[in-house]
Amino acid sequence: MAALQTATAAELKEQWRVLFGKEPPPFNRPYLVSRLSYRVQELAYGGLKPETRKRLEALGEQLDGGNIVLRRIRADSRPLPGTRLVREHDGVQHVVTVRADDFEYEGRSYQSLSAIARHITGTRWNGWVFFGLRQPGGGT
């Protein structure tokens, strides 16, 4: 796992392909490192216990009324709470923390990444594109 900290972006993406068997998501480096670290541990020591998985499923159903499609959309489209999104703009590094229901930037709560991008740039941006989570034009 220590090697992940010093790996290049290309090496991280290749490791993702090996460990997950699919293309890596377009998320930032800290996200890739944290997910790869978890996956290495999961493969070495085993995943979640069945009772933990059931508990998480039950909590998910409380949030989305049992709508599996909605749950998958949310899981696929939003980084995990605690993820730090880092973006350099005009020579300044900006760090956003993903929280369960919002985003934190400079100690303030924002409901959308677009609002943060607008605050940073002074112009309208798609926040997902600005932070590199989606490609311009709606693709991933």
Side-chain angles (χ1 to χ4, degrees):
M1 288 191 338
L4 294 175
Q5 300 300 323
T6 58
T8 66
E11 291 169 335
L12 290 174
K13 290 177 181 181
E14 181 56 32
Q15 193 66 20
W16 187 281
R17 290 179 192 100
V18 170
L19 294 175
F20 288 98
K22 60 183 180 181
E23 285 299 306
F27 297 150
N28 62 26
R29 178 185 178 78
Y31 175 83
L32 293 176
V33 170
S34 71
R35 295 287 299 179
L36 286 168
S37 297
Y38 181 87
R39 182 70 174 147
V40 168
Q41 292 177 70
E42 180 181 45
L43 292 171
Y45 303 111
L48 296 173
K49 295 177 183 176
E51 57 269 16
T52 303
R53 285 187 176 278
K54 287 179 185 174
R55 178 70 177 136
L56 290 171
E57 283 293 324
L59 290 170
E61 287 180 14
Q62 287 177 1
L63 289 174
D64 60 28
N67 185 335
I68 288 280
V69 173
L70 181 59
R71 188 177 315 146
R72 284 194 180 123
I73 290 169
R74 284 185 185 153
D76 290 344
S77 66
R78 185 178 174 95
L80 298 172
T83 300
R84 294 176 63 217
L85 307 174
V86 180
R87 169 67 149 85
E88 185 173 317
H89 180 74
D90 284 343
V92 177
Q93 187 177 46
H94 301 276
V95 180
V96 173
T97 302
V98 178
R99 299 193 300 197
D101 297 319
D102 61 8
F103 303 91
E104 180 184 350
Y105 173 68
E106 294 184 331
R108 290 187 49 207
S109 173
Y110 289 83
Q111 291 301 309
S112 72
L113 289 175
S114 296
I116 297 170
R118 189 174 317 122
H119 175 79
I120 292 169
T121 65
T123 61
R124 290 194 173 274
W125 267 88
N126 176 308
W128 297 93
V129 171
F130 182 79
F131 284 100
L133 299 173
R134 294 220 177 97
Q135 295 296 319
T140 54

